[in-house]
Amino acid sequence: MAILLIRQDGKTSQWLNAFKSQASQIECFDYNEPHPKETITMALVWKQPHGLFEQYKNLKCVASMGAGVDFIFEDPSFHQELLMTRVVDPLLITDMEEFVTAQVYAYMKGLYQYHSQQSFSLWQQNPYLRKKDITIGIMGMGVLGSATAKALSDQGFNVLGWSNSKKQIEGITTYEKVDLDLFLEKTNVLVCLLPLTPDTNGILNESLFSKLPRGAYLIHVARGPHLVGEDLIQSIDKGQMCGAAIDVFPTEPLDTKSPFWGHSKIHITPHCASISSPESVVAQIVVNYNRLTSHQPLLNQVDTLKGY
Ligand SMILES: NC(=O)c1ccc[n+]([C@@H]2O[C@H](COP(=O)([O-])OP(=O)(O)OC[C@H]3O[C@@H](n4cnc5c(N)ncnc54)[C@H](OP(=O)(O)O)[C@@H]3O)[C@@H](O)[C@H]2O)c1
């Protein structure tokens, strides 16, 4: 039995090294190197090339290297008999809390505006917002959304949360799926932390932006295809939205010709809100691999019928 690592961004050796130092007894292979296919029972993947899973007849589980699993569902060679797991990791959670919090403060205090003023040697004080002026609405109150909501609420922000099912979290007003419009009308800083599913694809569009109070701000840290880019630009140009911080894009890296790059009210980061740490994540993969080997239920298993 062995684990196959499949990613195409040159980071596989970091993961192999983490296995070597934490679980040298487990055989791990880079999919690009020669390996005995019949030994593979678990595939550990991040944005894998499609069509590979069917080559592994003894494959039982596909494990995501991150919190998201959309790229596994999109692969036609993933089938319902395979188990799927994702990462739920304390580092991933605090990294996301900190990143969203940093973006909220940068927006409130107009830090991006000062950064652009600097390129014109422009000394100019601008009005800024205080906590009482904003209501942060978080779409997706799962592992990352609810922790981020709590972190912001603990700092004195007014926080709302929206998710499929209603949540009970102290200090946070929560809305269930049917109450989206009620949630939007009270939100002026919208944070997207939804999983990408057929239901949420394209959800950040002109119609949704029009239901926010005029001049709202978007912090998008979930997945690129949630956002209809042209709709955001039009909504900013009309003043319905005042700007956005965007960390994720339908095609990554973002095309150098994208209008987002040159837009003064759109602030781009390269999918870095919260990045899985191999050292931290490999420990839970090892636990799940041992559970798989001994036919025990897996941790952080994804409900493949629900789709996230
Ligand atoms: N930018 C980055 O660096 C980065 C890093 C890590 C993760 N992410 C993104 O963050 C996403 C969220 O991660 P997570 O671990 O928090 O996911 P999660 O625990 O699965 O939470 C998903 C939340 O979204 C809600 N939801 C799902 N579909 C919905 C719908 N159609 N309408 C309303 N609510 C819906 C769920 O509602 P219920 O609670 O009712 O089921 C749940 O609250 C990931 O999928 C990934 O795309 C980004």
Side-chain angles (χ1 to χ4, degrees):
M1 293 181 72
I3 300 180
L4 185 68
L5 277 74
I6 316 179
R7 62 186 300 157
Q8 306 177 79
D9 58 1
K11 293 186 178 170
T12 304
S13 59
Q14 293 173 23
W15 289 81
L16 286 171
N17 288 340
F19 276 104
K20 244 182 234 153
S21 66
Q22 293 183 38
S24 57
Q25 73 284 5
I26 298 179
E27 272 203 298
C28 295
F29 298 99
D30 177 347
Y31 85 107
N32 272 320
E33 302 291 333
H35 56 274
K37 288 191 174 172
E38 68 288 353
T39 64
I40 302 300
T41 50
M42 178 185 266
L44 180 58
V45 303
W46 181 252
K47 299 189 178 175
Q48 74 289 348
H50 287 183
L52 289 180
F53 300 143
E54 61 203 16
Q55 298 176 18
Y56 296 89
K57 299 300 171 213
N58 294 317
L59 183 64
K60 305 251 173 339
C61 171
V62 178
S64 171
M65 291 190 200
V69 287
D70 41 285
F71 55 90
I72 303 177
F73 281 112
E74 284 162 12
D75 188 333
S77 67
F78 179 84
H79 54 84
Q80 286 295 332
E81 283 96 78
L82 290 171
L83 302 170
M84 190 192 292
T85 63
R86 70 190 195 101
V87 171
V88 175
D89 177 62
L91 267 187
L92 210 59
I93 295 171
T94 48
D95 287 355
M96 184 58 81
E97 290 169 8
E98 288 168 3
F99 184 89
V100 172
T101 304
Q103 290 289 12
V104 168
Y105 282 114
Y107 161 65
M108 268 173 75
K109 301 299 170 195
L111 300 186
Y112 287 118
Q113 206 176 334
Y114 290 120
H115 184 68
S116 68
Q117 284 180 202
Q118 188 173 340
S119 34
F120 304 103
S121 310
L122 176 61
W123 180 275
Q124 176 187 285
Q125 294 173 339
N126 302 312
Y128 55 85
L129 299 169
R130 298 191 173 88
K131 285 179 184 169
K132 66 172 177 49
D133 302 320
I134 64 176
T135 298
I136 303 169
I138 301 197
M139 300 178 83
M141 291 291 284
V143 171
L144 299 177
S146 55
T148 301
K150 191 82 183 74
L152 289 163
S153 167
D154 288 349
Q155 288 176 55
F157 286 100
N158 186 25
V159 183
L160 315 176
W162 177 73
S163 47
N164 252 336
S165 55
K166 196 162 161 62
K167 305 279 180 267
Q168 297 289 342
I169 306 175
E170 202 192 327
I172 295 162
T173 309
T174 55
Y175 297 82
E176 60 190 310
K177 191 164 176 165
V178 289
D179 292 330
L180 177 61
D181 290 5
L182 290 175
F183 162 83
L184 292 172
E185 71 188 26
K186 295 188 181 65
T187 293
N188 52 22
V189 176
L190 184 68
V191 177
C192 183
L193 268 168
L194 288 166
L196 182 64
T197 65
D199 209 25
T200 63
N201 195 317
I203 192 168
L204 301 175
N205 57 33
E206 198 276 332
S207 158
L208 180 139
F209 297 142
S210 72
K211 293 172 184 162
L212 293 163
R214 193 167 170 78
Y217 190 72
L218 172 68
I219 298 173
H220 182 30
V221 282
R223 282 289 179 267
H226 286 128
L227 174 65
V228 182
E230 312 84 81
D231 286 14
L232 174 67
I233 290 177
Q234 277 176 26
S235 299
I236 292 176
D237 292 349
K238 284 189 215 146
Q240 175 56 23
M241 300 295 289
C242 71
I246 311 178
D247 186 53
V248 285
F249 303 89
T251 305
E252 295 177 357
L254 179 62
D255 194 313
T256 51
K257 294 191 184 77
S258 166
F260 283 170
W261 284 113
H263 200 296
S264 63
K265 293 182 176 167
I266 294 179
H267 311 298
I268 290 171
T269 47
H271 200 145
C272 60
S274 178
I275 298 172
S276 291
S277 149
E279 292 71 31
S280 185
V281 168
V282 157
Q284 61 178 263
I285 302 296
V286 169
V287 170
N288 260 349
Y289 180 74
N290 290 334
R291 284 173 165 258
L292 187 71
T293 310
S294 55
H295 308 286
Q296 289 175 54
L298 302 183
L299 307 178
N300 307 322
Q301 195 173 329
V302 175
D303 180 342
T304 52
L305 293 176
K306 204 163 76 166
Y308 64 92

